[in-house]
Amino acid sequence: QVTELVLDNCRSSNGEIEGLNDSFKELEFLSMANVELTSLAKLPTLSKLRKLELSDNIISGGLEVLAERCPNLTYLNLSGNKIKDLGTVEALQNLKNLKSLDLFNCEITNLEDYRDSIFELLQQITYLDGFDQEDNEAPDSEDDDEEGDEDDDDEDEDEAGPPGEYEEEDDEDDGGSDLGEGEEEEEVGLSYLMKEEIQDEDDDDDYVEEGGDEEEEAEGVRGEKRKRDPEDEGEEEDD
């Protein structure tokens, strides 16, 4: 299930890397930079491989193997190898899907009319050493991905709707809640004052009632004295 495999700076043995075999059927990207690879004779069959990095090795020929085992290659990097002549590169004509070829820092780049010769020999390619025939730089796949992500973000924002609408609604809700709180505070203040007035009136009534009870008790005592006084007077008269 592996689709990308990077083996940079590993060490090849007898033209192969141990463990790299035909079992990687889903592999689309393989990088073997600086592995001291001298030949591609033991390269496994990777029918889905699209990008192959072979920079900074010791490859000098045998490129016809690529068309047999990696027929769907679109990108091939052979920079920093020992490729010297056009005859070696001619074997890449059978890579019909090849769009980008990198031979930077190979001896072949010292040939007169090197670029024109390669574009004429390999008419299927669009970019050589990162530039097309009009010296336009090849697009960076990572930059394309980032632009795609930005577009996705913009679409998400559009779907979510303008943020201003939600902010206005929030402000309206906040204003309504503030007004409601003010009205509640006013009602609480009035009810509190009314309660205080009611309590004051009740206190006055209690005070009056208490005073009335004392007067009644005093009158009762006087009545008893009056009742007792005639008896006392009768006793005195008998004496």
Side-chain angles (χ1 to χ4, degrees):
Q1 300 299 322
V2 178
T3 58
E4 297 186 6
L5 183 61
V6 177
L7 301 172
D8 297 352
N9 303 315
C10 294
R11 288 292 172 262
S12 62
S13 176
N14 298 322
E16 67 177 343
I17 292 180
E18 185 177 356
L20 182 61
N21 51 48
D22 296 345
S23 64
F24 291 89
K25 298 184 182 300
E26 302 297 321
L27 205 60
E28 297 179 5
F29 173 82
L30 174 62
S31 182
M32 294 190 295
N34 190 32
V35 298
E36 297 183 355
L37 198 63
T38 58
S39 171
L40 296 175
K42 296 184 179 181
L43 184 70
T45 299
L46 304 169
S47 59
K48 291 188 177 182
L49 195 68
R50 296 173 60 83
K51 294 185 177 182
L52 180 59
E53 289 272 359
L54 295 171
S55 59
D56 300 322
N57 284 292
I58 318 170
I59 299 169
S60 58
L63 301 183
E64 61 275 358
V65 173
L66 292 173
E68 297 173 6
R69 302 179 187 176
C70 307
N72 292 309
L73 276 184
T74 59
Y75 173 87
L76 176 61
N77 188 349
L78 290 168
S79 62
N81 280 276
K82 303 298 181 181
I83 299 172
K84 300 178 181 180
D85 53 62
L86 294 174
T88 303
V89 177
E90 188 176 2
L92 299 178
Q93 287 179 332
N94 293 325
L95 286 171
K96 303 301 183 182
N97 296 317
L98 190 64
K99 300 299 179 186
S100 180
L101 174 64
D102 197 335
L103 296 170
F104 179 75
N105 210 24
C106 292
E107 289 186 38
I108 192 174
T109 59
N110 295 324
L111 295 177
E112 187 176 356
D113 297 329
Y114 152 71
R115 288 181 58 81
D116 291 339
S117 300
I118 295 294
F119 277 117
E120 184 178 351
L121 184 65
L122 304 175
Q123 296 185 6
Q124 78 272 32
I125 69 171
T126 303
Y127 300 101
L128 176 62
D129 302 336
F131 294 88
D132 64 12
Q133 284 182 279
E134 284 75 32
D135 290 332
N136 296 313
E137 189 173 2
D140 190 341
S141 59
E142 293 182 0
D143 291 342
D144 292 342
D145 293 340
E146 289 178 0
E147 290 176 1
D149 293 340
E150 290 177 359
D151 293 339
D152 293 340
D153 293 339
D154 293 340
E155 290 177 2
D156 292 340
E157 289 180 0
D158 292 340
E159 290 176 2
E165 294 181 2
Y166 295 102
E167 290 176 0
E168 290 178 1
E169 291 178 2
D170 293 341
D171 292 342
E172 290 177 1
D173 293 340
D174 293 342
S177 62
D178 291 342
L179 181 59
E181 290 176 1
E183 291 176 351
E184 288 176 1
E185 288 177 1
E186 185 176 353
E187 290 177 1
V188 171
L190 289 172
S191 62
Y192 180 74
L193 291 173
M194 291 174 68
K195 285 180 181 178
E196 281 191 348
E197 291 176 0
I198 293 169
Q199 287 177 356
D200 290 342
E201 290 177 359
D202 292 342
D203 292 342
D204 293 341
D205 294 341
D206 293 342
Y207 178 75
V208 172
E209 289 174 359
E210 289 176 359
D213 293 340
E214 290 177 358
E215 290 178 358
E216 288 177 359
E217 289 177 1
E219 289 178 358
V221 171
R222 290 173 187 170
E224 289 179 0
K225 286 183 179 180
R226 288 174 184 171
K227 288 178 182 179
R228 289 176 185 174
D229 289 343
E231 293 176 358
D232 293 340
E233 291 175 358
E235 290 175 359
E236 288 177 0
E237 289 177 357
D238 294 337
D239 290 339

